[in-house]
Amino acid sequence: MSHAIPGVEFADNTNQRTPCVLVLDASGSMNGAPIEQLNHGLRVFEEQLKSDVATAMRVQVLVITVGGHDDVTVVQPWVDAIDFKAPEIIASGLTPLGKGMSFALEEVQNQKAQYDANGISSTRPWIIMISDGSPNDYGWEEAAQACRSAEQNKRAVIFPIGTEGADFEALGQFSNKTPKKLKGLAFNELFVWLSRSMTTVSSSVPGQKVQLPSTNEWAEVEI
């Protein structure tokens, strides 16, 4: 989803951009404590991103939910972090993660074209996928293959994250990296890590490798 006037968001802010897409499982099984903690984590993410002036001007965020019958919904269109407002996610329905990730790949490709058209340099897009279950939409395996190919071709960096009980074998097919298991419902800690990673990446030179804040699985990525 684009702004009404293409490029208007770059007129007053010509900083290098780091695009970050959140693909969030909003299926019925997330109802209750999981969705409450996820929403709180999103508010932490907003607060952390805005706490660093350079990060707030350089990171762009897009938030997509998957749920309903077979729904992929943009709950926060592309926006600079300084203007990001944490959405309130409501849980219901199924888990069309394949459809959601395909949409995310399309969005980062379109946004990269917007950067290029407006003379804005950018680092590689990050796509963060969070789920408590398993993709159950038709053709999700092909979408997962497309995600791995996008990583191999340096068009995106994809981080699959699952809560307790998630199908980690399935989630792992969406990336060339091992999926990360969230301990309990530690969404706050996850989003603090993500915001700190965004600060590191957004202040780095595209194409170089950067050291991420400490985790057991993901220590270094090329941007």
Side-chain angles (χ1 to χ4, degrees), residues 71-112:
D71 299 328
V72 174
T73 306
V74 175
V75 293
Q76 171 59 70
W78 285 111
V79 66
D80 287 330
I82 194 167
D83 297 317
F84 174 61
K85 175 68 176 165
E88 191 78 12
I89 310 300
I90 298 171
S92 71
L94 304 176
T95 316
L97 282 172
K99 192 174 176 182
M101 291 298 286
S102 293
F103 185 80
L105 287 180
E106 184 179 326
E107 279 291 316
V108 296
Q109 183 176 335
N110 292 341
Q111 195 67 356
K112 175 70 164 60

Side-chain angles (χ1 to χ4, degrees), residues 54-72:
T55 304
M57 297 297 283
R58 289 179 166 217
V59 173
Q60 287 203 312
V61 182
L62 171 73
V63 184
I64 300 165
T65 59
V66 297
H69 174 62
D70 191 27
D71 299 328
V72 174

Side-chain angles (χ1 to χ4, degrees), residues 57-58 72 118 147 150 156 175 183 190:
M57 297 297 283
R58 289 179 166 217
V72 174
N118 287 276
C147 287
S175 174
K183 294 176 182 174
L190 169 63

Side-chain angles (χ1 to χ4, degrees), residues 17-23 45 59-64 78 101 104-105 107-108 115 123-129 151 154-161 177 190-202 208 210-213 215 218-223:
R17 294 304 207 282
T18 293
C20 178
V21 183
L22 305 180
V23 178
F45 187 46
V59 173
Q60 287 203 312
V61 182
L62 171 73
V63 184
I64 300 165
W78 285 111
M101 291 298 286
L105 287 180
E107 279 291 316
V108 296
Y115 297 149
T123 61
R124 199 172 306 176
W126 278 32
I127 301 175
I128 314 295
M129 179 181 71
E151 275 199 318
K154 302 186 176 183
R155 295 199 308 271
V157 182
I158 299 171
F159 295 90
I161 299 163
K177 291 183 290 302
L190 169 63
F191 282 110
V192 168
W193 171 84
L194 179 56
S195 63
R196 289 176 179 169
S197 297
M198 288 289 96
T199 295
T200 300
V201 172
S202 65
Q208 72 178 184
V210 297
Q211 202 74 24
L212 299 179
T215 71
W218 305 323
E220 185 180 69
V221 296
E222 186 176 341
I223 62 167

